[in-house]
Amino acid sequence: MWRARDAESATDPLDDWSARESEYDVVIVGAGLTGTVTALLLARAGQRVAVVEARDVGAVSTGNTTAKISLLQGTALSQLSRRHSRDVVQAYVDGNLAAQQWLVEFCRDNGVETETADAYTYAASTGNVASVDAEYRSCRAAGLPARSVKETALPYPVAAAVVLPDQIQFDPMPMLRTAVREIRANGGAVFTGRRVRAARTDDTGCTLTTDDGELRAAHVVLATGTPILDRGGFFARLEPDRSYAAAFELPESPPEGMYLSVDSPTRSLRTAPAGNSSGTGASGSRRLLLVGGNGHVVGRHESPRTAADDLVSWTQRHFPGARPVARWSAQDYSTLDSLPYVGSLLPGTDRVSVATGYGKWGMTNAVTAAHLLASRITGNRDARVEAWAPAFAAWSPTQLFDAPSAAKLNAAVGVHLARGWWNAETASDTSAPPMEGQGRVARECARPVGVSTVDGHTRRVTAVCSHLGGVLRWNDAEASWDCPLHGSRFAPDGAVLEGPATSDLSTR
């Protein structure tokens, strides 16, 4: 929905690659919130900065988020409190609070609209009341003015809820476009439609390889969800999750507030201005209800379309007359210890940095990460910013002690690797192409081949992920080939969409 409203995207000028110098102080890969804010902070500090984006600004997670800028993040704080010290949890909260304040100030100073709303974590089932109570206690321990409540504006019963007042929600695309304009005004470059395929480092810097040539930089920041370089093995320390969202017109005003359930499947709700939508509620408020949820590990759902459709059915049961006007999905990454990874790609080196693992709370964590990265790259270490570091370490002792979680995560990867190849070996092809919007994996000369029909075109691509050889599965909700190992995704013609993969699938 946000990207469909982003009318500037068609007219925002692209930098001329051929007319720019090829050497920079810092190159940031990825033009989501992490990449753009990092570039902005560095450009303000006088660094020569370039952002390189494979698609367009905000094309992946940021442009598909529900865009809640909240310190109440489901049950995030209670989960952290069970696994980490109070000091680490406080560092996480302080970093997120500073990020929220920075975003609000940036939007205010640049005329970008934001809305204030109370945030709720709630349990619809009495069996999950303890989870809500734990989140309330963790919020209070971290100094947040949360309250325990029984009543909400939702049209269905709630067993328990915690509310944090005066949180923020917005449309992230105008903010990204404003940041891009300031980056360029400060001498930075933003290159879209150019995918970074590889990188090499030496004693003096890094060289990035793209389809249009090379860029040279003293430092590189990978702001790409999963880092696109396998050094550091981050793909084995992250779990990729795909979740769904839809915007609805209602016959009457939707309940205001930002809501997230602790029940399974999760339900996320907020409102938004109707914008270009043609519908108007009975009250004339022109507000849409945004509903998200039904997340699953990428490539491991039998039919993503059923998950997306179930979200619509659930909404129409609880909000009679709800009419979907937009549908989309997003990909997020969770870490082994529930804390983001921000720092060096490899321990002891600082040429290449990463920022990932926000656990679906990228609006604040991305900005926190950007401040940490900028502080370290410029060498002007801000004491307040560095105080957040214990909760945002790419490499920390806590990860070393979480071997059981790592083993479980990668055992599941191994199971899906073996299962995918077994299913491909036993699959049989037919001469008839798949029906419109469908795809299947068949065996051809002992190799898995993906056959799909989209918009009347039947295509055949290798069904083996170009990252680490997982057999792909068809995503019938988004017409893509998804890898159940580490979350890489490909278009029907084999082009990389996202994930650690950097090479397209070969056509057959």
Side-chain angles (χ1 to χ4, degrees):
M1 185 177 77
W2 309 132
R3 296 180 64 213
R5 293 179 173 186
D6 185 29
E8 288 189 59
S9 61
T11 58
D12 197 20
L14 302 181
D15 285 328
D16 183 355
W17 179 277
S18 62
R20 304 298 296 243
E21 296 180 25
S22 60
E23 189 161 337
Y24 297 86
D25 295 322
V26 187
V27 171
I28 293 103
V29 186
L33 189 59
T34 302
T36 54
V37 176
T38 301
L40 175 58
L41 296 175
L42 290 170
R44 285 177 174 178
Q47 299 279 306
R48 293 195 65 251
V49 176
V51 181
V52 185
E53 166 59 47
R55 294 159 72 179
D56 50 60
V57 174
V60 192
S61 295
T62 303
N64 292 291
T65 177
T66 52
K68 298 176 181 178
I69 311 173
S70 176
L71 275 294
L72 180 62
Q73 303 175 347
T75 58
L77 292 190
S78 53
Q79 291 181 45
L80 291 175
S81 298
R82 287 194 295 270
R83 307 183 70 174
H84 300 281
S85 69
R86 176 169 290 188
D87 288 345
V88 168
V89 176
Q90 193 64 55
Y92 177 88
V93 171
D94 291 345
N96 275 248
L97 179 58
Q100 183 189 63
Q101 293 169 343
W102 186 93
L103 275 171
V104 169
E105 291 171 5
F106 179 88
C107 291
R108 181 197 62 209
D109 294 344
N110 290 279
V112 176
E113 292 185 6
T114 63
E115 297 180 327
T116 300
D118 294 346
Y120 294 80
T121 292
Y122 74 92
S125 166
T126 56
N128 292 315
V129 170
S131 295
V132 173
D133 291 342
E135 189 65 17
Y136 167 73
R137 292 192 299 271
S138 295
C139 286
R140 299 296 296 187
L144 298 177
R147 303 193 313 271
S148 179
V149 297
K150 295 290 186 182
E151 301 294 330
T152 71
L154 296 174
Y156 48 86
V158 169
V162 56
V163 58
L164 186 63
D166 301 329
Q167 300 304 287
I168 308 299
Q169 59 186 21
F170 74 155
D171 174 346
M173 295 305 295
M175 182 270 162
L176 286 184
R177 291 291 171 188
T178 301
V180 166
R181 286 193 289 272
E182 185 175 341
I183 291 166
R184 288 175 169 150
N186 280 279
V190 179
F191 302 116
T192 59
R194 294 173 172 89
R195 182 174 296 279
V196 173
R197 302 288 185 178
R200 61 183 186 273
T201 59
D202 55 42
D203 292 340
T204 60
C206 310
T207 302
L208 295 176
T209 301
T210 78
D211 294 334
D212 298 297
E214 294 185 339
L215 289 176
R216 181 80 179 165
H219 300 275
V220 169
V221 174
L222 302 179
T224 56
T226 296
I228 59 169
L229 303 181
D230 287 344
R231 283 163 272 172
F234 283 86
F235 63 86
R237 302 159 58 194
L238 296 164
E239 186 165 72
D241 186 82
R242 199 91 190 150
S243 54
Y244 305 91
F248 297 86
E249 291 177 343
L250 302 183
E252 56 188 34
S253 297
E256 292 295 337
M258 300 184 291
Y259 297 87
L260 186 61
S261 72
V262 302
D263 311 283
S264 182
T266 298
R267 295 288 179 252
S268 171
L269 298 91
R270 61 158 284 193
T271 60
N276 296 330
S277 175
S278 61
T280 302
S283 66
S285 62
R286 293 185 60 80
R287 300 287 289 177
L288 299 178
L289 176 68
L290 276 55
V291 182
N294 280 14
H296 60 85
V297 178
V298 177
R300 301 186 194 177
H301 197 288
E302 288 299 323
S303 173
R305 176 173 288 279
T306 63
D309 289 346
D310 175 71
L311 197 68
V312 173
S313 298
W314 178 90
T315 304
Q316 292 174 333
R317 285 197 306 273
H318 292 285
F319 297 88
R323 184 175 74 86
V325 295
R327 296 174 68 171
W328 67 98
S329 65
Q331 191 152 309
D332 298 279
Y333 300 88
S334 300
T335 66
L336 295 176
D337 60 358
S338 302
L339 289 171
Y341 297 154
V342 182
S344 299
L345 181 67
L346 288 171
T349 64
D350 60 1
R351 289 292 181 194
V352 183
S353 300
V354 300
T356 185
Y358 303 149
K360 299 188 178 182
W361 293 101
M363 294 296 94
T364 49
N365 279 309
V367 175
T368 307
H371 280 80
L372 281 162
L373 292 170
S375 175
R376 294 168 185 180
I377 290 172
T378 61
N380 300 321
R381 299 215 169 194
D382 185 319
R384 186 189 66 144
V385 171
E386 290 301 320
W388 312 330
F392 295 85
W395 301 93
S396 71
T398 60
Q399 297 162 23
L400 300 179
F401 293 107
D402 208 1
S405 294
K408 181 179 179 181
L409 176 68
N410 288 285
V413 169
V415 167
H416 284 276
L417 175 63
R419 181 181 297 164
W421 278 95
W422 171 257
N423 290 341
E425 284 296 318
T426 57
S428 59
D429 197 3
T430 62
S431 57
M435 295 178 61
E436 176 63 34
Q438 296 298 312
R440 64 171 181 268
V441 175
R443 185 177 73 252
E444 183 177 283
C445 299
R447 294 288 294 177
V449 174
V451 186
S452 66
T453 301
V454 178
D455 296 331
H457 298 287
T458 298
R459 298 176 175 88
R460 302 171 71 87
V461 297
T462 179
V464 179
C465 181
S466 59
H467 178 229
L468 288 181
V471 176
L472 304 174
R473 299 186 66 178
W474 182 249
N475 178 334
D476 58 358
E478 301 173 85
S480 64
W481 292 106
D482 298 357
C483 182
L485 272 58
H486 304 113
S488 294
R489 299 179 59 246
F490 304 85
D493 64 359
V496 176
L497 295 175
E498 60 187 297
T502 58
S503 299
D504 299 339
L505 303 176
S506 60
T507 57
R508 307 292 291 188

